[in-house]
Amino acid sequence: NLEIYKGFHYAFVGSSGSGKSTTIDLFLGLLEPTKGKILVDQTDLKEIGIRNWQKKISYVPQEPLISDLSLRENIAFGVPKELIDNERIIFCLKQTYLLEVSNSLEKGIYSNLGNKGINLSGGQKQRVAIARALYQNTEILVLDEATSSLDNNTEEIIQKMIKNLKNKLTIISIAHRFSTIKNCDCIFFLENGVIRDKGTFESLKKGNSSFRSLAKLVKNDAE
């Protein structure tokens, strides 16, 4: 059992097979619980409707979908070109620290990003995906191992961006690299499909030996 409140940053951590991805799949409505219920403001998710719920969520995987389109079209994904709001595109670029990147491209926001975003770095692709979430004005941002393959400098930029987005969005992270979730409001620590503990990074590190061991192991792996 767990509760998630609007505007906060949460994380799910645990060793491989602990249940992180299954928990998120339940949250996203991709899996139906065999026991219990998922409630949104005390209303059963089934009554709200899975599609209605999913419209509130933007999901950013480790390898986000970047199409062979312009930067503006990738951010306003699915919106007809003539209806794209360029002012909102610029706002989203500023929020995700991509404006300087955009200005360095030959045609700015009209520059083609290439197949699978070949013209962007891994961190830039992540930020385009997050800018897309902002453009769509979704309420919840789910980051699924989104920073696991990034260098430290790029990760720092993304962490700074997440800090700025807090209170504007509900953010949920699944992370192997604990450096990405040190500033979370609440971390859920899972073992064998069960939430064993929850709290801030420091409180879990201090009070839970299993969490402390996992944090140490993850740090050594990263180094």
Side-chain angles (χ1 to χ4, degrees), residues 3-221:
E3 292 182 337
I4 290 174
Y5 294 93
K6 187 175 182 178
F8 291 92
H9 185 190
Y10 296 88
F12 290 88
V13 303
S15 57
S16 180
S18 62
K20 302 185 299 293
S21 295
T22 301
T23 303
I24 291 299
D25 285 346
L26 285 164
F27 181 82
L28 294 172
L30 301 175
L31 290 177
E32 190 174 318
T34 53
K35 292 181 182 179
K37 296 178 180 179
I38 299 174
L39 303 177
V40 181
D41 294 336
Q42 305 307 312
T43 302
D44 195 313
L45 183 55
K46 289 181 181 178
E47 293 180 36
I48 293 169
I50 298 298
R51 290 302 302 145
N52 291 331
W53 171 242
Q54 289 173 341
K55 286 176 184 176
K56 298 176 180 290
I57 304 170
S58 286
Y59 175 78
V60 181
Q62 188 173 333
E63 286 293 333
L65 172 67
I66 304 295
S67 296
D68 191 13
L69 299 167
S70 68
L71 175 59
R72 71 194 285 268
E73 289 171 277
N74 266 286
I75 292 174
F77 198 72
V79 178
K81 285 194 284 188
E82 64 275 11
L83 297 180
I84 294 175
D85 182 345
N86 281 356
E87 284 189 16
R88 182 154 185 80
I89 292 290
I90 298 301
F91 168 79
C92 294
L93 290 172
K94 287 179 179 176
Q95 291 291 304
T96 51
Y97 297 91
L98 279 171
L99 189 59
E100 190 175 330
V101 175
S102 169
N103 291 336
S104 70
L105 298 173
E106 187 178 354
K107 296 180 180 178
I109 61 173
Y110 294 92
S111 300
N112 191 287
L113 299 184
N115 185 37
K116 295 183 179 180
I118 195 171
N119 296 326
L120 298 177
S121 69
Q124 289 166 353
K125 284 191 272 190
Q126 296 292 343
R127 283 181 278 161
V128 168
I130 295 171
R132 184 183 296 160
L134 294 179
Y135 188 90
Q136 293 169 350
N137 207 25
T138 49
E139 297 177 32
I140 303 163
L141 180 64
V142 176
L143 304 172
D144 190 350
E145 306 289 4
T147 61
S148 63
S149 62
L150 304 182
D151 62 74
N152 291 335
N153 288 337
T154 305
E155 185 185 309
E156 245 179 68
I157 293 173
I158 289 184
Q159 290 311 304
K160 186 177 178 182
M161 178 189 62
I162 289 173
K163 187 178 179 181
N164 290 340
L165 293 177
K166 233 176 77 169
N167 302 320
K168 300 173 187 174
L169 292 167
T170 304
I171 303 171
I172 297 174
S173 299
I174 304 178
H176 280 313
R177 289 171 70 167
F178 280 28
S179 56
T180 65
I181 48 103
K182 280 188 174 181
N183 296 317
C184 279
D185 296 297
C186 182
I187 297 169
F188 295 103
F189 176 51
L190 286 84
E191 283 183 319
N192 301 317
V194 176
I195 297 174
R196 296 293 185 192
D197 209 344
K198 66 177 182 178
T200 64
F201 183 86
E202 290 304 323
S203 69
L204 287 173
K205 192 175 176 182
K206 184 178 180 181
N208 189 302
S209 59
S210 296
F211 180 87
R212 191 161 56 247
S213 297
L214 183 61
K216 186 177 180 181
L217 180 65
V218 169
K219 184 180 179 184
N220 289 340
D221 285 346

